[in-house]
Structures are given as C-alpha cells and as structure tokens.
Amino acid sequence: MAEVRVSPPSLVLESAESSQQVLVTEIFPGGNRGDLSRSVLYEITPPGIATVSSHGLVRPLADGIGNLVVNYQNQKFTVPLEVRKLKTPRSVSFRNEIVPILTKASCNSGGCHGKAEGQNGFKLSIFGYDAIADHQAIAMQSRGRRISLTSPRNSLLFLKGSARTPHGGGRKIDPESYRDQLLLRWITEGAQFESSTEENGRIVGIEIEPKQQTLLAGKSQQIRVTAIDTAGNRRCVTTEAEYESNAESLVEVNESGLVLASNIPGEAAVLVRYLNYVTVCRITMPQPDVQFERPSENNFIDGLVWDKLERLRIEPSGLAGDSTFLRRVYLDTIGTLPTSDETRHFLSSSDQDKRAKLIDVLLERDEYVDYSTMRWLDILRADQLKISPQGTVAMQRWLQRHFRENRPFDQFARELLTVQGNTSAEGPGSFYKILNKPDAAAQAVSQLLLGVRIECAQCHHHPSERWSQADYVGLTGFFTGLKLKKLPNGEQAVISLGGKDLPHPRTGELVATRALGAASADFSKVSDRRQVLADWVTANDNPFFAKAIANRLWAHYFGRGLVEPIDDIRETNPASNEALMQALAAHLRETGYDIKAVTRTLLNSRVYQLSSKTNVSNERDLQNFSHAAYKTLPAEVLLDAICQSTGVNEKYNGWPDGYRAIQIWDNRMPSYFFRIFGRPVRASVCECERSHQPSISQAMHLLNSPEIAEKINHRHGIAQKLAETLSPNEIIDELYLRTLSRFPLKNEKELMRQAFTDLEEDHRAATQDVLWALLNSKEFVFNH
C-alpha cells in the first residue's frame, strides 16, 4: 500500500508577506513517488489564521496556532501551523527580499533596466548580482526621487512597478499583491539595505524538494524552494525563485515551480535560481507499457546507454546494415565517401570482424588527418585574414603532425597553452594573434578546453552557474604576461613577460590569479604563468578537461553531445547520460588521452552502429541515442562527395588540381557553395558557428547550380565514362555505389531504368539524369 507524506512537518509564518509551499507525496512500495499537491483537499483550522490555495500554498492572516489538514481518499493528515509576529515582523531586507522581487518581475533583466546602459536613466545590475549598487540606484540616485520615505505610497518605485503610474515596461507587480505590500513595507521602514538582526541574516544557500522525480506523460510535480541564511534559519521562497527547463519540449515549468511533463520520453533538468544560488531538479519521463529487451553489448558504452534506455523504457533501433555503416563511418571519420570498389569489397566480405578492421584502417588514412585538421582549424579560429596565410599554414601543419602521430591530447592542450616564438613557425602561436587580450584568451581557452562558458561572469555573477566576476578575473590573470613582439623580418612572436594579478572590476581589489574552482596559483617556479594553468588543465583530477574533450568527440560521431551545447558544461546543464559522461572521461584519461583509441571505442560500440530507422517507442527520442541521427554533411565534405561522385575535381583558385575541400586552409576563399552550406568564417571557438540547418537555398543550389550541372555533364566525368562502357543495369549499380554506398533496391532499379527507356538512344543523358537525381536525394546530402 502506498504511503502519503506531507512536508514540511510543521509550518511557521512570521510576516504578512511570507508563504509556505506544502508538498503532498505518494510513495509506492517500489520507491516511485507521485505528487498529490494538487489532488488533495486542504483546510485551515481555525480558519481565521491563514489561507491555503488549491495547490498547497499557505499564507498568513492573523497570529495564532492551528493546523493544516490534508484530506486524501478518506485519510486526514494534520500539520501543525503557527502564525506569529504579524504585527511586529522582522524588517525587510533589500538584499534578501526586494532583489528577488525585482528579478522575478524582470526589472533587472537584459531587456529592461539590467542592460548595460540601463533604461530611461535607471540602471540595475543584471539579475541583481550587485545588490549594493542596486540599492544605491533605487534609494539614493536621482536625488532619491524613486523613494519617498515621508510618503511611501507616492514612491516612484512603488507606483511604476504596479503601473499605478504609467510605466514603459507595463505592470510588473500586481497591486495589493504580497509583493506589492512587501515593497511598500520596505519603503515605510526606511528602505534599508538589510536588517541587522541575526534572524534576517544573509542568504547562504538554497535547497529544493524534490531533487529528482519520475513523471509519466501529462503528470506534474510541484517544486519547493527553501532559502537558508547565515543563522541557519529556513524560509520558503518558492514563489520568488525562478525556474527554467533545459528541454521545454520534454517538460515545462511555470513561474510557481509547477513542472508538467510532455508525452515525449526522456530526461530534463529544471534550473532553479534564487539570488545568486542555482540548483537543478532532474525530471525523468519513462515511456509506459514498453517491454525492454536488452541488446548485446560491444563495450561499456552500450551497457550505459542500455541502462538509460531501460529506465526510460525506450527500445533501441536495430543494427544498421553494412552499407549504411560503411558510408556513415567513412564520412564521420575521414570526411570522404568510400569508392565503389571499396563498397563492393566490404559488402561482399563475410568476415565477422570486418567493421572493427575497417575502423582501424580508416584511422590510419591520410584523410583522417586532413578532416581532423580542418575541424580544429575552425575552432582554433585560423582565419587567414587575421593571422596571415603563413600563420594559418603553420597551424595547419602543426595540427596535421599532431593527428598523424596521434599525440596525446593533453600534450596538444599543453602546447596550445604554452606556445612561444614566431607565429609563422609550425605550431599554434597564431592562436594568440587573434586572442591578443587576456580576457579574450581566458574566455576562448575556458570554452575550448574546459567546456565552460565563463564570459557571462565578466560583467556579473553567472546567472546559471557558480562563477563570479572574481573567478573570471582570476582566470584572466594567467594571460596577462603575453605579448606579441615584432620581429626584424616583419613577422611576430609570442612571448611571455611574467604577468600580474588583476583588479576586481567593481571593488578595485586585486584578485589572485587562479583556475576555475582552484586555489590561488603559485608562480614561484615558472616564468610563464600559462605553465601553471597547463599543469592544472591536464591534471588527472581536473573536473572539466576530460569531460570537455570526450563530449566533443561524442558530439561529432553521434550528432549531439551528451551535454548540449557541447561547450556549456555546468552543474545546471547536466549530461543526458551522466554515467556515460563520467565513463568516457575516465576512458580518455586511462588511454593517456589517446584520441584514436577513444574514437575506436566509440565507433565499435553497438550504439554508434544502430540504424537511423526508428520504432514506435523511440521515434521522438532526440537525446538518448536510441537510434542514429541524421546529420548534415559539412560544406567541405559535401562538395568533396559531389566531386568524387561525378569524377570531376573542384577548381580552387591558386591551388593545384586534385586538392579536396577538407585540405584547403584558406577560410576566406570565395565560394558560394561554402557560404550557403555553412562553412564557418572562424570568428569564434564555438562549433556552433558552423551551420547544420538545411535551407531552401541549399536545396535550390543542388537542383539548379550550373557548377554541379557542369560536373555531371563533364566530358571527362563519370557519367560519360559509364555510358560508354556499361549496360543500364551496371550503370545504375555503379552510380548507387558511388553516391549512396549501396546497391539499388529492386523498385529503385526499375524506376531508374525508365530514364534509359525514355532516352533509349542517349545513354549518356540517361546516366546524367540518374546521377543528378541521386545527388539531390536526402540519402546523399545527409549522413545517417
């Protein structure tokens, strides 16, 4: 029999504006829980001391002692209730109580008074991170005209917030609401910054209940938030906390903290924020009535993914066929299609280990080096207009050597962080020609190697993470000694001249240089501050580095990161499979940051080799890797595939014939194809700069482009050669093998033969038509 539990076990309300959210939970024998907070009947006895809403929010009316009675299915549960000090409440704290009201009303948001220039002469700190400055702006600036201590009800802050006086931002606070009354009481009490009484101490943390919950489709869960102050006092702040879902298609959350599950299975995190404190509530939404049959496992990846899918009751798709796997692994690993001969050989092989052997071969191909280099040139911002062609080539050669020799990735990170010398010499020196300011370098390195977007903390406390301005300034201090020195030959060199600690932007006090979440750095044994940072980044106990690199690799091969966005790793943006994230990071460390070894593990997993064809249970799953994802081909890979399929090379201005797009380092080469298919201009270290969204322009270009038509119709192209030597059936087979890496199905072959029937005497034109149709198929332009 299920147990019903009411929390908290007792209620105490100490001001007219206070409230307490009650949770009623049904606990089943197996440990599952259900929220009954909106399914029970509430009653206050005696009725005159408080009110209670239908969803369990209790508010005071008069001092007294009584009970909250909860009625559920002929059961009654009594919770002691005390209302006290309504006539002599503690004074209102601006820091603890007024700032949350301003935040909840969006007064200090980036679209209102929180933006850099403020609004109509009134500026607040974004999200209330600087309560002292906000108090001064409200109570003291503009000759104190926003607050009238002699006539509180005529205060501009009070009148405009409730739109009693015309307000450009509209009504933010309902008249006569408890927020309205709390604001008025604060002004009446003298608009003090904070009370000196111990019980009104500074808030030091928040707690939420529940921290995690399982919900079926359409079910809800009320979250309760409690603030804790320095004296250990606890106060319900459910109504003033802010809530945000990281997956709104899965769960929605309203301003009162009510979570509502959709009918899509998966897992989401609800971010809860109060003042500068954040935490998350994890919501799991299993699929009902699905029998999960656990597939076989190739390695630890499969076991951890199956564990998650079993909890969600999502059935994974079956294995992809050989042809699908072949094309997928070629495009993912070397950015190149298999040739028709390679496809025939693989499909005809009966070797049980042929997939694993193929993976080993691909990781040793030159194209693996070229493709990996191209991707890292993008995120290292190798823009030849900003770092010079020589600098771009130097970085390309360094990356090629790194991937060819399969150097450990922690060595890669160390070289990137500590490079000195000529920026045109082989190496990553040109990276610091773009990031020539300490703050820019700190932001880029944090995002690139740690997966942490620290830039939000440059101006204010990070709104969804623990990082403060002091953390930002501390990290920036590692790059203060960097200089670009002009050499006699006109080139530049990166040098390090020690460095210094930087002042806090608000207080002016020096902030000791330190890594994120680490103690102050010791530079007594080094001349280059970055060496200390490199030691911390590559240390085995670093909490970010291995996760960030593992997540980048996973995202490339699976089409989505375990954490999304892939460079936004934080406690309030948890991985979709936390156990898998931890295991991949550990695997990366155990292999000595051997990227090929980790890639081999990824590609050999059954999860990677699943089909993209969905079943009823997983067709809406977008985050748990129950089936392969359709991925758009990068612009360079798609152009190379078109060239390879047509047998006609692309002509790049100033480059020898035969160069492929994935080998071209010049990101500024004029190309309409590259532009519309989303090649990045390398203005950011974020991989999001590369567009992965298909567009009408792309579809129209493939259909009508004279350049592609010229390749298809070229007199030395593959269509001409096949038409001269092969029969229609053989031509169709060859074209399917060259473009889609498979033989045509029976109905496809019959359809394509119509082209040869309609153009009976012109096999060349028929061959061109078939090739054109295949190049425009979804199966060609996507990797699946």
Side-chain angles (χ1 to χ4, degrees):
M1 183 176 177
E3 173 191 356
V4 176
R5 183 178 301 169
V6 182
S7 64
S10 63
L11 306 173
V12 178
L13 300 172
E14 295 189 316
S15 72
E17 305 86 11
S18 60
S19 64
Q20 177 66 62
Q21 177 65 55
V22 174
L23 296 186
V24 184
T25 305
E26 188 173 24
I27 306 173
F28 298 96
N32 291 333
R33 295 168 176 253
D35 184 22
L36 299 176
S37 302
R38 280 169 166 73
S39 303
V40 299
L41 295 177
Y42 299 99
E43 180 184 2
I44 299 290
T45 60
I49 65 171
T51 63
V52 58
S53 70
S54 60
H55 57 271
L57 186 68
V58 181
R59 291 194 177 279
L61 290 176
D63 287 353
I65 296 176
N67 294 294
L68 168 69
V69 180
V70 180
N71 296 275
Y72 178 67
Q73 293 183 349
N74 299 320
Q75 299 181 76
K76 286 191 176 184
F77 305 89
T78 301
V79 179
L81 167 64
E82 180 180 2
V83 180
R84 63 193 184 193
K85 300 182 181 180
L86 291 196
K87 295 181 180 180
T88 58
R90 55 174 171 74
S91 57
V92 181
S93 166
F94 178 84
R95 184 203 301 272
N96 292 349
E97 296 170 276
I98 301 303
V99 169
I101 288 178
L102 298 175
T103 302
K104 191 77 170 182
S106 302
C107 300
N108 55 24
S109 69
C112 197
H113 297 288
K115 57 188 176 184
E117 67 276 16
Q119 183 87 353
N120 295 329
F122 180 30
K123 182 180 184 303
L124 296 171
S125 64
I126 187 78
F127 304 126
Y129 79 93
D130 189 348
I132 295 176
D134 290 345
H135 182 261
Q136 291 175 342
I138 292 171
M140 302 175 191
Q141 288 179 5
S142 297
R143 301 179 181 178
R145 72 186 186 92
R146 298 186 180 100
I147 297 293
S148 175
L149 298 181
T150 57
S151 181
R153 286 188 175 275
N154 290 321
S155 298
L156 278 180
L157 182 69
F158 178 71
L159 296 174
K160 285 200 169 188
S162 57
R164 291 179 171 95
T165 292
H167 178 221
R171 177 174 290 171
K172 296 296 185 180
I173 299 173
D174 292 333
E176 306 306 324
S177 67
Y178 75 95
R179 291 175 188 160
D180 191 55
Q181 294 304 308
L182 185 64
L183 188 60
L184 179 62
R185 182 158 73 89
W186 172 68
I187 299 172
T188 303
E189 292 174 347
Q192 297 300 308
F193 179 65
E194 65 181 349
S195 169
S196 60
T197 59
E198 182 181 22
E199 64 180 356
N200 194 32
R202 188 169 184 174
I203 301 300
V204 294
I206 61 173
E207 291 181 356
I208 63 168
E209 183 184 354
K211 291 184 178 180
Q212 57 185 27
Q213 178 63 297
T214 299
L215 295 179
L216 294 178
K219 296 297 183 180
S220 64
Q221 172 65 54
Q222 175 67 50
I223 297 175
R224 184 176 68 227
V225 187
T226 303
I228 305 169
D229 66 21
T230 51
N233 298 312
R234 304 168 68 84
R235 179 166 56 90
C236 179
V237 294
T238 303
T239 57
E240 293 311 315
E242 294 180 280
Y243 307 91
E244 180 182 343
S245 170
N246 75 337
E248 293 186 352
S249 62
L250 299 180
V251 300
E252 295 179 352
V253 59
N254 68 13
E255 64 174 13
S256 300
L258 178 66
V259 178
L260 180 64
S262 71
N263 59 357
I264 302 175
E267 194 168 65
V270 175
L271 181 147
V272 181
R273 178 172 54 237
Y274 183 76
L275 294 176
N276 290 331
Y277 301 97
V278 292
T279 186
V280 293
C281 174
R282 297 290 295 263
I283 305 295
T284 301
M285 291 145 293
Q287 193 156 228
D289 305 323
V290 173
Q291 295 297 319
F292 184 88
E293 294 185 10
R294 197 176 181 93
S296 60
E297 301 174 12
N298 293 350
N299 55 39
F300 71 89
I301 290 174
D302 300 328
L304 293 172
V305 172
W306 302 159
D307 288 345
K308 182 66 178 292
L309 295 179
E310 189 169 14
R311 287 200 303 273
L312 297 174
R313 300 177 203 155
I314 298 175
E315 184 183 1
S317 296
L319 275 180
D322 281 347
S323 59
T324 299
F325 168 79
L326 176 72
R327 190 173 192 269
R328 180 189 301 168
V329 75
Y330 262 77
L331 290 172
D332 281 342
T333 309
I334 66 175
T336 305
L337 286 174
T339 65
S340 56
D341 288 341
E342 288 170 336
T343 302
R344 282 190 170 93
H345 174 74
F346 185 80
L347 297 182
S348 63
S349 173
S350 58
D351 188 344
Q352 296 297 311
D353 296 325
K354 65 180 181 179
R355 294 192 179 190
K357 291 178 180 178
L358 175 63
I359 291 167
D360 290 339
V361 170
L362 292 177
L363 290 175
E364 299 304 321
R365 293 263 298 251
D366 289 340
E367 295 95 328
Y368 168 78
V369 175
D370 292 334
Y371 191 31
S372 300
T373 296
M374 181 202 85
R375 286 163 31 220
W376 276 90
L377 281 173
D378 288 344
I379 56 179
L380 289 178
R381 298 185 61 180
D383 181 356
Q384 65 102 339
L385 286 183
K386 295 184 177 180
I387 67 174
S388 78
Q390 295 87 348
T392 309
V393 171
M395 190 176 291
Q396 183 192 43
R397 289 175 177 171
W398 172 69
L399 287 168
Q400 287 173 330
R401 183 155 55 93
H402 171 82
F403 288 112
R404 185 177 298 111
E405 297 174 4
N406 193 33
R407 295 180 174 183
F409 203 84
D410 56 345
Q411 182 179 334
F412 170 97
R414 181 173 291 278
E415 290 180 18
L416 180 66
L417 285 172
T418 62
V419 62
Q420 294 198 54
N422 193 329
T423 58
S424 296
E426 182 179 307
S430 294
F431 186 61
Y432 294 99
K433 289 184 71 174
I434 298 173
L435 308 172
N436 55 6
K437 294 182 179 179
D439 58 343
Q443 291 178 28
V445 166
S446 178
Q447 188 170 349
L448 187 68
L449 298 180
L450 306 177
V452 176
R453 296 184 178 185
I454 192 67
E455 65 270 18
C456 283
Q458 181 177 10
C459 301
H460 54 82
H461 195 288
H462 197 298
S464 54
E465 186 51 293
R466 55 176 167 155
W467 309 124
S468 65
Q469 283 183 290
D471 294 312
Y472 179 90
V473 174
L475 184 63
T476 302
F478 284 106
F479 301 95
T480 54
L482 282 183
K483 303 291 180 184
L484 285 172
K485 180 181 179 181
K486 192 170 183 180
L487 300 177
N489 61 1
E491 296 179 348
Q492 291 180 307
V494 178
I495 61 173
S496 176
L497 301 175
K500 62 182 181 180
D501 293 343
L502 295 172
H504 193 287
R506 286 191 293 112
T507 66
E509 296 179 3
L510 286 181
V511 177
T513 298
R514 62 177 186 263
L516 296 179
S520 300
D522 179 7
F523 302 115
S524 60
K525 298 180 181 179
V526 298
S527 58
D528 184 348
R529 288 183 160 216
R530 295 174 301 162
Q531 293 179 17
V532 177
L533 180 61
D535 290 341
W536 174 80
V537 166
T538 57
N540 276 336
D541 60 352
N542 184 286
F544 307 107
F545 179 60
K547 284 184 179 180
I549 304 309
N551 197 48
R552 283 187 185 275
L553 286 171
W554 182 275
H556 173 71
Y557 290 105
F558 290 84
R560 174 188 171 87
L562 291 166
V563 172
E564 280 289 332
I566 63 171
D567 49 14
D568 192 15
I569 297 175
R570 48 187 162 85
E571 291 182 7
T572 52
N573 185 32
S576 60
N577 190 324
E578 195 63 43
L580 178 57
M581 172 65 93
Q582 297 288 351
L584 287 173
H587 183 49
L588 191 58
R589 290 189 290 263
E590 289 164 1
T591 61
Y593 290 94
D594 185 331
I595 297 299
K596 282 188 178 179
V598 176
T599 300
R600 190 175 289 110
T601 301
L602 298 178
L603 300 182
N604 276 297
S605 70
R606 185 181 177 96
V607 176
Y608 176 77
Q609 298 179 23
L610 291 178
S611 171
S612 59
K613 295 180 180 178
T614 60
N615 55 51
V616 174
S617 73
N618 72 8
E619 60 186 353
R620 292 175 296 177
D621 175 36
L622 299 177
Q623 63 174 189
N624 298 294
F625 312 101
S626 58
H627 57 86
Y630 270 78
K631 297 172 287 188
T632 56
L633 297 183
E636 301 90 330
V637 173
L638 179 58
L639 183 55
D640 283 346
I642 292 171
C643 293
Q644 185 176 340
S645 298
T646 58
V648 179
N649 294 329
E650 182 74 4
K651 295 179 181 179
Y652 301 107
N653 186 29
W655 292 76
D657 184 53
Y659 266 78
R660 291 165 295 126
I662 63 172
Q663 296 175 296
I664 304 296
W665 52 259
D666 186 359
N667 65 304
R668 295 288 182 170
M669 176 181 293
S671 169
Y672 180 71
F673 188 96
F674 286 160
R675 180 159 61 85
I676 67 169
F677 280 93
R679 187 187 192 189
V681 297
R682 298 176 179 171
S684 165
V685 296
C686 183
E687 291 196 41
C688 59
E689 189 183 338
R690 180 180 288 277
S691 172
H692 296 288
Q693 295 299 319
S695 67
I696 294 296
S697 298
Q698 295 172 0
M700 296 302 294
H701 186 77
L702 291 174
L703 283 169
N704 303 300
S705 166
E707 292 82 7
I708 295 178
E710 183 180 345
K711 292 181 184 296
I712 294 173
N713 301 331
H714 199 282
R715 61 193 180 93
H716 296 305
I718 193 65
Q720 175 70 20
K721 295 176 182 178
L722 296 180
E724 293 175 352
T725 57
L726 300 180
S727 67
N729 283 340
E730 292 172 326
I731 291 172
I732 295 170
D733 284 349
E734 180 66 18
L735 291 179
Y736 266 81
L737 290 169
R738 292 180 70 92
T739 57
L740 307 184
S741 306
R742 64 174 177 84
F743 287 100
L745 301 176
K746 182 179 179 181
N747 63 324
E748 292 173 330
K749 200 163 193 176
E750 292 175 354
L751 179 64
M752 293 303 180
R753 278 189 59 84
Q754 292 180 13
F756 292 91
T757 301
D758 297 340
L759 299 169
E760 187 173 349
E761 297 182 0
D762 193 348
H763 280 193
R764 177 183 176 184
T767 303
Q768 292 169 352
D769 286 349
V770 172
L771 179 55
W772 177 85
L774 292 175
L775 294 182
N776 279 278
S777 67
K778 179 181 178 181
E779 192 173 348
F780 179 78
V781 297
F782 283 88
N783 184 9
H784 56 90

